Amino acid sequence: MANSPSPASLEKPVKQRRRWQRLPPALRVGGLLVGIIVLMALLSLVWLPADPDAQDMLSRLQAPSTSHVLGTDQYGRDLLARILVGARASLLVGTVAVSIGLGSGLIFGLLAGYFGGRVDRTIMLLLEALYSLPALLLAMLLVTAWGPGLVSAMTAVGIAAIPAFSRVARASVLQVRVMPYVEAAQALGARQRRVLLQHVLPNILGPMIVQASLTMGAAVLIEASLSYLGLGIQPPAASWGRMLRESQSFMMLSPGPTIFPGLAVAAVVLGFNLLGDGLRDLLGQRN
Amino acid sequence: MLNYVFQRLLGAAITLLLAAALVFGILLTIPGDPAQTLLGLDASPTALAQLRHQLGLDQPPPLRFVHWVTGALHGDLNQSIRYDAPVSRLLRERLSLSLPLIGLTLVISSLLALWLGSAAARAAQARSGRDTWITAGAVLLSALPSFWVGLMLMLAFAVRLHWLPSGGFPGWQEPGRAALALVLPVATLTLTRVAILARMVRSSLLDSLSQDYVRTARAKGVSERRVLYRHALRNALIPIVTVLGVQFAELLTATVIVEAVFSLPGFGTLILSGIEARDYPMVQGVVLVLSALVVLVNLIVDLSYGLLDPRISYG
């Protein structure tokens, strides 16, 4: 009896498990997938199974084995190492693109939603024009102007994300600006900047985080598409889209280099989509 | 109603003009002299001057923009540098492949989404596990990159089974082979598009099925099939059509990628060859026409609301 756990220590883990289980399933699965990918990207900074750019023509297109867990590509490069490095590139593009979209979208959405009238109409008209240019086409224009590469890809995806962020921010501001606490701040004579930054902004961040997660998935997908088309990250740097493009001619000999990078893209996109859906469900429950 | 149509037409025209300004403006950010970039450092001053004149670079940007827009309104999108032919003619030739590809995908994915979405909605009402499977499948499918789906289909049906061609297009003069060449591209586009549509059909239908008029129809003894298609679906069409409109822009970009995967000579490969050759007039022209298509489809979607639901008034 002396060694048996006290009732209090039994209770704690059960409570924790229940709280975890109460989270929407999409949030749990999405969080897990995103967590794995982020860990993979971080791991690639300190450890890699092999040099991702080292060519070994004697071990070309090898099937998965103990020396190369996912096999090798047409230049004998280790696929796992390249996929780990590719995760870093994908997340970097996604993060920068989301930052551009989120930052600009917040400014436009706050201004349009809070001031309304002519400011709102002008901003919405400009965003409508931007919206009629699909992200990939916008990226293609920037690549034509600036040349292919990481900067063009990140900027294009970020600019293309601005309309969606702005619309979400605007819709949220329209809801928040009639709340009693905003009206109270205005009645107390608070300056517009203060009302916007201290009272409106913190209360619209929830929907913006949901949008950020969904945009992150879309950004990774567009970056992979651009790299597949040869317009994104340039060789010899590893990117999932580029790996798929290069392996296409050899897929009859070895399907591995065509299958694994595609699965990686799908896992990231699925992860962020589910995370966004789950966060939306969670916010919906709380509200 | 006429007033609303006029307002929407005017709105679409302004949007398109702003989009054209954006397309034009982005290409103004080309670092250095575009003529020098195209011809290289060894180009003679005469050749440079000639190309600058051909591209209109010897004129101020606002004037070039006005010329470009008025030309586009008359169907003239300037001369392609790479092909030395009018961009509008090249685009027309390529659209004869891309438009049927997009049209077929839209029809097949809409029908498939209606079938899958209504099956999932019925299963959800009956609390059957089939709904979970269809929804999970749709979530998974919507995360797959279109080029990878294309590659996987090519690997299975062209490389391994040898049932279908792995790429290329023989031209419409050989209808049988042309149809076969389009099977995998249409399947790729459909698989990646159908998921989002099916999810929207499901949620929209579930919303309609919980309404009082559905309960009344059932109480009157109307068959379940008629309840679904005549009562619930008709009222669920507006969100579905809205998503279809949004999806159109994504379908255009997916078409560019899928054409590259299957080496189809459509507008996608035209724009890619334009980027490769830094053929500015061609990239500019193709992007403008595709944006115009997006604006047009959004306009049609907006105007269709009144036809789909007579209760919507435009007063």
Side-chain angles (χ1 to χ4, degrees), chain A residues 184-263:
Chain A
Q186 285 166 336
L188 285 169
R191 275 186 295 178
Q192 276 176 335
R193 214 176 91 175
R194 188 183 161 87
V195 176
L196 269 175
L197 296 180
Q198 292 219 341
H199 299 280
V200 178
L201 183 64
N203 289 294
I204 65 163
L205 284 181
M208 295 301 275
I209 292 169
V210 172
Q211 184 61 34
S213 182
L214 296 172
T215 306
M216 190 79 185
V220 169
L221 198 57
I222 297 171
E223 186 282 313
S225 307
L226 279 173
S227 294
Y228 174 79
L229 296 172
L231 308 175
I233 297 167
Q234 295 299 299
S239 82
W240 294 338
R242 187 90 206 176
M243 288 166 78
L244 284 166
R245 176 189 168 92
E246 289 172 352
S247 66
Q248 189 171 343
S249 322
F250 302 94
M251 67 181 176
M252 200 163 76
L253 301 169
S254 168
T258 322
I259 293 173
F260 297 123
L263 283 179

Side-chain angles (χ1 to χ4, degrees), chain A residues 125-126 128-138 140-147 221 224-225 228-229 231 241 244 248 251-252 255 258-259 262-263 265-266 269-270 273-274 277, chain B residues 14-15 18-19 22-23 26-27 29-31 139-140 142-145 147-148 151-152 154-155 159-160 199 246 249 253 256-257 260-261 271-272 275 278 280 283 287 290-291 294-295:
Chain A
L125 194 66
L126 289 173
E128 186 78 18
L130 192 55
Y131 199 66
S132 66
L133 271 179
L136 194 74
L137 292 185
L138 193 66
M140 286 176 159
L141 271 177
L142 282 183
V143 166
T144 312
W146 303 348
L221 198 57
S225 307
Y228 174 79
L229 296 172
L231 308 175
L244 284 166
Q248 189 171 343
M251 67 181 176
M252 200 163 76
T258 322
I259 293 173
L263 283 179
V265 179
V269 178
L270 184 67
N273 284 355
L274 287 175
D277 284 349
Chain B
I14 294 172
T15 306
L18 286 172
L22 195 67
V23 172
I26 288 175
L27 288 187
T29 64
I30 297 170
V139 170
L140 193 66
S142 57
L144 299 181
F147 53 93
W148 188 65
L151 288 174
M152 290 300 105
M154 192 193 284
L155 183 65
V159 177
R160 300 269 172 194
R199 283 177 75 184
V246 176
T253 54
V256 173
I257 299 166
V261 174
I271 196 171
L272 288 173
I275 295 170
R278 294 212 147 191
Y280 308 121
V283 177
V287 173
L290 296 185
S291 312
V294 173
V295 173

